[in-house]
Amino acid sequence: MRGFQGINLIALGRKLILLVLLCTAVIISHFALTTNSASLEAMFAVNQVFAVTSAADSGPGTLRQAMLDMAAGDTITFDTAVFPPTSPVTITLQTELPTIALDDIIIDASDAGVILDGSQIALANSAGLNITGGDSVTVRGLQIVNFTFAGIHLAQGTTNAVIGGDRL
């Protein structure tokens, strides 16, 4: 009789495991059908840290490329070997940088020497950083110069932005 009860418990345990897996699959499927894909991506996203390793305007390792590649929750930093804090390096832009419309973005140059220069942009109203609708965007340590409109433009809908953090 004992062997028979053990077999029943094993079978019951297997059925419970299958039931839990089935319920989990149904819940995930329901969530996927009722939620947009951006929410699903955010739920499973791994925040990345992009290190800017080039003072060029565009291409691999640049601020522009990091901004094109970033997703909500990511951080952009600057390599101090390329951007030493005691001898700041200038990134001279030819066109405006991509607009930041993502949440929880950090652009942190507080340990580096970075000058963002807009003197070569041919727009009448150029801005160094355009932040539109992002929540909790943080910008630290950048020296932003020579833009015809604003160094940092916080558009309507931007909330909880933190700007500042120079080393002086």
Side-chain angles (χ1 to χ4, degrees):
M1 202 58 147
R2 281 186 157 184
F4 180 70
Q5 289 175 347
I7 291 172
N8 279 342
L9 289 176
I10 290 172
L12 182 62
R14 287 182 183 157
K15 288 179 183 177
L16 277 173
I17 290 171
L18 288 174
L19 181 62
V20 168
L21 290 174
L22 180 63
C23 288
T24 303
V26 168
I27 291 168
I28 289 173
S29 297
H30 174 73
F31 183 75
L33 293 173
T34 59
T35 307
N36 66 32
S37 63
S39 295
L40 284 174
E41 289 172 5
M43 189 169 110
F44 296 108
V46 175
N47 297 346
Q48 292 189 32
V49 176
F50 294 96
V52 176
T53 58
S54 170
D57 178 41
S58 62
T62 62
L63 175 59
R64 182 179 304 280
Q65 190 63 52
M67 292 178 72
L68 289 170
D69 294 343
M70 70 184 175
D74 288 347
T75 298
I76 298 174
T77 62
F78 295 81
D79 184 343
T80 57
V82 178
F83 300 94
T86 57
S87 183
V89 174
T90 301
I91 299 173
T92 303
L93 301 176
Q94 303 301 313
T95 59
E96 285 188 308
L97 290 167
T99 296
I100 300 170
L102 300 168
D103 295 341
D104 302 310
I105 295 296
I106 298 171
I107 300 177
D108 189 358
S110 60
D111 292 331
V114 182
I115 301 170
L116 196 57
D117 184 354
S119 63
Q120 299 302 305
I121 297 176
L123 294 174
N125 292 316
S126 66
L129 295 172
N130 282 302
I131 304 172
T132 61
D135 181 51
S136 299
V137 174
T138 300
V139 179
R140 286 190 217 115
L142 290 174
Q143 182 179 346
I144 303 174
V145 298
N146 300 322
F147 288 89
T148 55
F149 176 63
I152 299 175
H153 177 235
L154 300 175
Q156 186 174 5
T158 302
T159 55
N160 302 311
V162 177
I163 311 297
D166 63 25
R167 294 177 317 281
L168 300 176

PDB file of all heavy atoms in Angstrom, residues 32 36 39-40 56 66 68 72 80 86 102-103 113 119 125 146 148 150 159 164 168:
ATOM      1  N   ALA A  32       1.115  39.708 -22.677  1.00  0.00           N
ATOM      2  CA  ALA A  32       1.697  40.050 -23.978  1.00  0.00           C
ATOM      3  C   ALA A  32       0.635  40.574 -24.933  1.00  0.00           C
ATOM      4  O   ALA A  32       0.901  41.484 -25.719  1.00  0.00           O
ATOM      5  CB  ALA A  32       2.398  38.838 -24.575  1.00  0.00           C
ATOM      6  N   ASN A  36       1.630  46.730 -24.823  1.00  0.00           N
ATOM      7  CA  ASN A  36       2.424  46.953 -26.023  1.00  0.00           C
ATOM      8  C   ASN A  36       3.810  46.335 -25.872  1.00  0.00           C
ATOM      9  O   ASN A  36       4.280  46.056 -24.792  1.00  0.00           O
ATOM     10  CB  ASN A  36       2.494  48.446 -26.382  1.00  0.00           C
ATOM     11  CG  ASN A  36       3.235  49.262 -25.349  1.00  0.00           C
ATOM     12  OD1 ASN A  36       4.169  48.794 -24.700  1.00  0.00           O
ATOM     13  ND2 ASN A  36       2.826  50.500 -25.190  1.00  0.00           N
ATOM     14  N   SER A  39       6.533  47.833 -23.470  1.00  0.00           N
ATOM     15  CA  SER A  39       6.453  47.488 -22.052  1.00  0.00           C
ATOM     16  C   SER A  39       7.080  46.132 -21.779  1.00  0.00           C
ATOM     17  O   SER A  39       7.741  45.933 -20.770  1.00  0.00           O
ATOM     18  CB  SER A  39       4.997  47.470 -21.587  1.00  0.00           C
ATOM     19  OG  SER A  39       4.458  48.762 -21.674  1.00  0.00           O
ATOM     20  N   LEU A  40       6.868  45.188 -22.688  1.00  0.00           N
ATOM     21  CA  LEU A  40       7.485  43.874 -22.515  1.00  0.00           C
ATOM     22  C   LEU A  40       9.004  43.966 -22.599  1.00  0.00           C
ATOM     23  O   LEU A  40       9.718  43.361 -21.817  1.00  0.00           O
ATOM     24  CB  LEU A  40       6.980  42.901 -23.585  1.00  0.00           C
ATOM     25  CG  LEU A  40       5.583  42.358 -23.394  1.00  0.00           C
ATOM     26  CD1 LEU A  40       5.160  41.521 -24.597  1.00  0.00           C
ATOM     27  CD2 LEU A  40       5.502  41.528 -22.129  1.00  0.00           C
ATOM     28  N   ALA A  56      35.049  62.139 -31.827  1.00  0.00           N
ATOM     29  CA  ALA A  56      34.501  62.414 -33.155  1.00  0.00           C
ATOM     30  C   ALA A  56      33.006  62.720 -33.042  1.00  0.00           C
ATOM     31  O   ALA A  56      32.352  62.385 -32.053  1.00  0.00           O
ATOM     32  CB  ALA A  56      34.732  61.218 -34.076  1.00  0.00           C
ATOM     33  N   ALA A  66      26.297  56.310 -29.071  1.00  0.00           N
ATOM     34  CA  ALA A  66      25.745  55.842 -27.794  1.00  0.00           C
ATOM     35  C   ALA A  66      24.296  56.283 -27.639  1.00  0.00           C
ATOM     36  O   ALA A  66      23.443  55.510 -27.182  1.00  0.00           O
ATOM     37  CB  ALA A  66      26.587  56.354 -26.629  1.00  0.00           C
ATOM     38  N   LEU A  68      22.196  56.908 -30.089  1.00  0.00           N
ATOM     39  CA  LEU A  68      21.389  56.151 -31.047  1.00  0.00           C
ATOM     40  C   LEU A  68      21.104  54.738 -30.538  1.00  0.00           C
ATOM     41  O   LEU A  68      20.040  54.179 -30.788  1.00  0.00           O
ATOM     42  CB  LEU A  68      22.095  56.080 -32.406  1.00  0.00           C
ATOM     43  CG  LEU A  68      22.146  57.372 -33.202  1.00  0.00           C
ATOM     44  CD1 LEU A  68      23.086  57.230 -34.396  1.00  0.00           C
ATOM     45  CD2 LEU A  68      20.752  57.790 -33.654  1.00  0.00           C
ATOM     46  N   ALA A  72      15.770  52.840 -22.697  1.00  0.00           N
ATOM     47  CA  ALA A  72      15.362  53.339 -21.378  1.00  0.00           C
ATOM     48  C   ALA A  72      16.173  52.643 -20.286  1.00  0.00           C
ATOM     49  O   ALA A  72      16.365  51.436 -20.317  1.00  0.00           O
ATOM     50  CB  ALA A  72      13.878  53.103 -21.160  1.00  0.00           C
ATOM     51  N   THR A  80      37.893  58.324 -19.335  1.00  0.00           N
ATOM     52  CA  THR A  80      38.804  59.376 -18.859  1.00  0.00           C
ATOM     53  C   THR A  80      40.172  59.321 -19.535  1.00  0.00           C
ATOM     54  O   THR A  80      40.912  60.303 -19.486  1.00  0.00           O
ATOM     55  CB  THR A  80      38.977  59.309 -17.333  1.00  0.00           C
ATOM     56  OG1 THR A  80      39.441  58.009 -16.972  1.00  0.00           O
ATOM     57  CG2 THR A  80      37.673  59.630 -16.621  1.00  0.00           C
ATOM     58  N   THR A  86      41.519  66.770 -16.266  1.00  0.00           N
ATOM     59  CA  THR A  86      42.412  67.931 -16.126  1.00  0.00           C
ATOM     60  C   THR A  86      42.691  68.629 -17.450  1.00  0.00           C
ATOM     61  O   THR A  86      43.263  69.711 -17.463  1.00  0.00           O
ATOM     62  CB  THR A  86      43.745  67.496 -15.492  1.00  0.00           C
ATOM     63  OG1 THR A  86      44.329  66.476 -16.292  1.00  0.00           O
ATOM     64  CG2 THR A  86      43.521  66.996 -14.072  1.00  0.00           C
ATOM     65  N   LEU A 102      13.513  58.992 -23.957  1.00  0.00           N
ATOM     66  CA  LEU A 102      13.429  57.771 -23.159  1.00  0.00           C
ATOM     67  C   LEU A 102      13.494  58.105 -21.673  1.00  0.00           C
ATOM     68  O   LEU A 102      14.019  59.151 -21.289  1.00  0.00           O
ATOM     69  CB  LEU A 102      14.597  56.844 -23.512  1.00  0.00           C
ATOM     70  CG  LEU A 102      14.679  56.393 -24.971  1.00  0.00           C
ATOM     71  CD1 LEU A 102      16.027  55.745 -25.249  1.00  0.00           C
ATOM     72  CD2 LEU A 102      13.545  55.440 -25.286  1.00  0.00           C
ATOM     73  N   ASP A 103      13.004  57.208 -20.849  1.00  0.00           N
ATOM     74  CA  ASP A 103      13.022  57.399 -19.400  1.00  0.00           C
ATOM     75  C   ASP A 103      14.307  56.840 -18.788  1.00  0.00           C
ATOM     76  O   ASP A 103      14.912  55.909 -19.320  1.00  0.00           O
ATOM     77  CB  ASP A 103      11.834  56.684 -18.751  1.00  0.00           C
ATOM     78  CG  ASP A 103      10.502  57.278 -19.168  1.00  0.00           C
ATOM     79  OD1 ASP A 103      10.485  58.425 -19.651  1.00  0.00           O
ATOM     80  OD2 ASP A 103       9.475  56.590 -19.006  1.00  0.00           O
ATOM     81  N   GLY A 113      36.581  65.107 -18.666  1.00  0.00           N
ATOM     82  CA  GLY A 113      36.618  66.475 -19.175  1.00  0.00           C
ATOM     83  C   GLY A 113      36.027  66.504 -20.567  1.00  0.00           C
ATOM     84  O   GLY A 113      36.682  66.131 -21.538  1.00  0.00           O
ATOM     85  N   SER A 119      29.241  74.987 -32.379  1.00  0.00           N
ATOM     86  CA  SER A 119      29.568  76.100 -33.278  1.00  0.00           C
ATOM     87  C   SER A 119      29.515  75.735 -34.757  1.00  0.00           C
ATOM     88  O   SER A 119      29.383  76.625 -35.604  1.00  0.00           O
ATOM     89  CB  SER A 119      30.951  76.668 -32.934  1.00  0.00           C
ATOM     90  OG  SER A 119      31.951  75.684 -33.151  1.00  0.00           O
ATOM     91  N   ASN A 125      18.357  77.457 -34.639  1.00  0.00           N
ATOM     92  CA  ASN A 125      17.939  77.191 -33.266  1.00  0.00           C
ATOM     93  C   ASN A 125      18.462  75.841 -32.781  1.00  0.00           C
ATOM     94  O   ASN A 125      17.696  74.955 -32.409  1.00  0.00           O
ATOM     95  CB  ASN A 125      16.410  77.216 -33.145  1.00  0.00           C
ATOM     96  CG  ASN A 125      15.851  78.607 -33.353  1.00  0.00           C
ATOM     97  OD1 ASN A 125      16.396  79.570 -32.815  1.00  0.00           O
ATOM     98  ND2 ASN A 125      14.802  78.713 -34.134  1.00  0.00           N
ATOM     99  N   ASN A 146      28.334  77.183 -27.344  1.00  0.00           N
ATOM    100  CA  ASN A 146      28.149  77.606 -28.735  1.00  0.00           C
ATOM    101  C   ASN A 146      26.946  77.015 -29.466  1.00  0.00           C
ATOM    102  O   ASN A 146      27.015  76.757 -30.664  1.00  0.00           O
ATOM    103  CB  ASN A 146      29.428  77.348 -29.553  1.00  0.00           C
ATOM    104  CG  ASN A 146      30.610  78.094 -28.997  1.00  0.00           C
ATOM    105  OD1 ASN A 146      30.492  79.229 -28.542  1.00  0.00           O
ATOM    106  ND2 ASN A 146      31.763  77.452 -29.006  1.00  0.00           N
ATOM    107  N   THR A 148      23.052  77.799 -30.695  1.00  0.00           N
ATOM    108  CA  THR A 148      22.311  79.036 -30.962  1.00  0.00           C
ATOM    109  C   THR A 148      21.015  79.156 -30.166  1.00  0.00           C
ATOM    110  O   THR A 148      20.522  80.257 -29.962  1.00  0.00           O
ATOM    111  CB  THR A 148      21.983  79.156 -32.465  1.00  0.00           C
ATOM    112  OG1 THR A 148      21.280  77.991 -32.889  1.00  0.00           O
ATOM    113  CG2 THR A 148      23.259  79.323 -33.280  1.00  0.00           C
ATOM    114  N   ALA A 150      19.906  76.613 -27.155  1.00  0.00           N
ATOM    115  CA  ALA A 150      20.110  76.243 -25.752  1.00  0.00           C
ATOM    116  C   ALA A 150      21.144  75.128 -25.658  1.00  0.00           C
ATOM    117  O   ALA A 150      21.249  74.300 -26.558  1.00  0.00           O
ATOM    118  CB  ALA A 150      18.791  75.770 -25.137  1.00  0.00           C
ATOM    119  N   THR A 159       9.939  65.324 -17.294  1.00  0.00           N
ATOM    120  CA  THR A 159       9.722  65.378 -15.852  1.00  0.00           C
ATOM    121  C   THR A 159      10.917  64.815 -15.100  1.00  0.00           C
ATOM    122  O   THR A 159      11.627  63.950 -15.602  1.00  0.00           O
ATOM    123  CB  THR A 159       8.463  64.575 -15.453  1.00  0.00           C
ATOM    124  OG1 THR A 159       8.590  63.238 -15.944  1.00  0.00           O
ATOM    125  CG2 THR A 159       7.203  65.197 -16.029  1.00  0.00           C
ATOM    126  N   GLY A 164      23.261  68.998 -13.951  1.00  0.00           N
ATOM    127  CA  GLY A 164      24.298  69.575 -13.115  1.00  0.00           C
ATOM    128  C   GLY A 164      25.353  68.573 -12.736  1.00  0.00           C
ATOM    129  O   GLY A 164      25.440  67.497 -13.305  1.00  0.00           O
ATOM    130  N   LEU A 168      33.707  71.436 -10.385  1.00  0.00           N
ATOM    131  CA  LEU A 168      34.268  72.622  -9.732  1.00  0.00           C
ATOM    132  C   LEU A 168      33.603  72.906  -8.406  1.00  0.00           C
ATOM    133  O   LEU A 168      32.519  72.694  -8.126  1.00  0.00           O
ATOM    134  CB  LEU A 168      34.151  73.831 -10.659  1.00  0.00           C
ATOM    135  CG  LEU A 168      34.892  73.651 -11.982  1.00  0.00           C
ATOM    136  CD1 LEU A 168      34.628  74.857 -12.865  1.00  0.00           C
ATOM    137  CD2 LEU A 168      36.371  73.450 -11.780  1.00  0.00           C
TER     138      LEU A 168
END
